[in-house]
């Protein structure tokens, strides 16, 4: 069974590109376009990992992370904050409960190794 990743990103083009990369690696992707939807989908699907944009409408990534951490069923799901902005929300994201905060460019450069850190056995082998 593939691992589920909740991808939270308000920019459709970025979300589509990330979804494609994740699906190509065998992950099941659940998509949310804002922080409020992220909370609803996290509780409903209990993903193995959440990739959280920080700057979004409705609820930003910091507020969504706080809400996800406050729910008993989702409180331990690893959350990687991925933002276009270097540093501006990093401290707030860590305090809210993100496990890691990366710029989108750094995340893309270390895509596979970052995912493997949180989901080490999730990518199917070539022998399947």
């Amino acid at each position: 069974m593939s691992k589920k990743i909740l991808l939270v990103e308000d920019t459709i083009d970025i979300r589509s590109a990330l979804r494609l990369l994740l699906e190509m690696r065998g992950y099941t992707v659940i998509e949310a376009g804002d922080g409020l939807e992220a909370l609803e989908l996290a509780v409903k699907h209990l993903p193995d990992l959440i990739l959280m944009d920080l700057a979004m409408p409705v609820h930003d990534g910091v507020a969504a992370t706080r809400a996800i951490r406050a729910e008993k069923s989702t409180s331990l799901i690893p959350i990687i904050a991925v933002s276009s902005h270097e540093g501006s929300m990093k401290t707030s994201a860590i305090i809210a409960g993100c496990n890691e905060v990366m710029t989108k460019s750094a995340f893309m450069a270390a895509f596979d190794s970052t995912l493997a850190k949180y989901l080490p056995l999730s990518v199917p082998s070539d022998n399947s």
Side-chain angles (χ1 to χ4, degrees):
M1 181 167 15
S2 70
K3 298 285 185 172
K4 293 182 285 188
I5 296 178
L6 174 56
L7 174 59
V8 187
E9 170 62 57
D10 63 319
T11 305
I12 294 171
D13 292 342
I14 294 171
R15 192 169 70 227
S16 295
L18 285 171
R19 182 190 71 239
L20 180 61
L21 288 171
L22 293 166
E23 289 176 344
M24 288 173 53
R25 286 160 173 80
Y27 298 105
T28 298
V29 179
I30 304 153
E31 297 180 52
D34 63 59
L36 185 57
E37 186 180 18
L39 173 61
E40 293 168 4
L41 292 174
V43 170
K44 180 178 179 181
H45 295 284
L46 299 175
D48 299 291
L49 176 69
I50 298 171
L51 298 177
M52 179 76 72
D53 184 18
L54 291 178
M56 295 182 294
V58 185
H59 271 54
D60 65 18
V62 172
T65 297
R66 273 194 216 104
I68 289 167
R69 290 290 181 237
E71 289 288 329
K72 184 177 180 179
S73 64
T74 58
S75 65
L76 299 178
I77 298 170
I79 300 173
I80 301 173
V82 184
S83 178
S84 298
H85 309 289
E86 180 87 36
S88 62
M89 297 177 82
K90 183 174 183 170
T91 302
S92 298
I94 294 294
I95 291 169
C98 289
N99 295 77
E100 194 165 342
V101 180
M102 303 176 78
T103 62
K104 288 180 180 169
S105 59
F107 176 73
M108 292 309 295
F111 189 80
D112 289 317
S113 61
T114 301
L115 292 177
K117 187 163 116 178
Y118 294 95
L119 302 171
L121 303 174
S122 60
V123 179
S125 69
D126 291 335
N127 300 340
S128 349

